[in-house]
Amino acid sequence: MGRHRSDPLGIARLALVGLAVVLLLAVVVIGARALLSTLGSEEPAAGASSTPSAQPSAEPSAEPSAPRVPTVRVVCQSDRCPVFVRVPGGDVLIDRDLARGEQASYFQPELDVVLDDASTVQVFENGTARSPGPPGERQAFSVKRSPSQ
């Protein structure tokens, strides 16, 4: 029988395995941070209500104590209400399904709204209720903030 001889690559193999583990952990951490930042962008800030809403515009109001009327407010009246709202040619404000009773309000001067089933939501344009569409009908429309607001 021959002598037992240790493999000269033993330390190199351990170093490669250690490097692979470190790289795997780095990928997991980067993926988790990206996921949390994506999910966190749709959720309200701490201390706010559970209703998603857009940031108010920078224009000062005549009476600071007067409540502001949103340009568009969407209230879900079904179990699932697919809603898409964006600033024309710009940012998408919401593109997801709302749950029953959930609301979304936006104060931008002009908005494009798309409802997959117009009968499942109640829409308020500048505080005025918009008539609901027939069941299953897709509606796309634009809303401009009224000059008096």
Side-chain angles (χ1 to χ4, degrees):
M1 294 216 168
R3 290 177 151 180
H4 181 270
R5 190 177 122 175
S6 47
D7 191 7
L9 295 178
I11 293 175
R13 284 185 190 151
L14 286 176
L16 286 174
V17 168
L19 181 62
V21 168
V22 168
L23 288 174
L24 179 66
L25 286 174
V27 168
V28 168
V29 167
I30 291 170
R33 287 186 64 164
L35 180 64
L36 289 176
S37 68
T38 300
L39 294 176
S41 66
E42 290 183 6
E43 295 187 16
S49 68
S50 64
T51 303
S53 63
Q55 295 294 325
S57 64
E59 359 174 315
S61 63
E63 292 183 35
S65 62
R68 294 185 58 193
V69 176
T71 307
V72 170
R73 183 169 67 118
V74 180
V75 182
C76 181
Q77 297 180 326
S78 181
D79 291 334
R80 180 174 100 37
C81 305
V83 175
F84 176 84
V85 178
R86 74 175 184 144
V87 175
D91 294 336
V92 173
L93 303 175
I94 186 172
D95 183 11
R96 68 179 181 92
D97 294 348
L98 299 178
R100 183 182 297 274
E102 194 173 0
Q103 300 181 29
S105 298
Y106 300 99
F107 295 86
Q108 279 74 9
E110 187 175 355
L111 297 165
D112 289 335
V113 180
V114 178
L115 308 170
D116 278 355
D117 186 350
S119 68
T120 62
V121 295
Q122 185 174 16
V123 179
F124 295 91
E125 296 179 1
N126 297 305
T128 305
R130 179 183 172 92
S131 60
E137 179 182 294
R138 181 175 195 247
Q139 281 189 352
F141 55 93
S142 294
V143 179
K144 290 186 179 183
R145 187 154 185 79
S146 69
S148 64
Q149 295 178 356

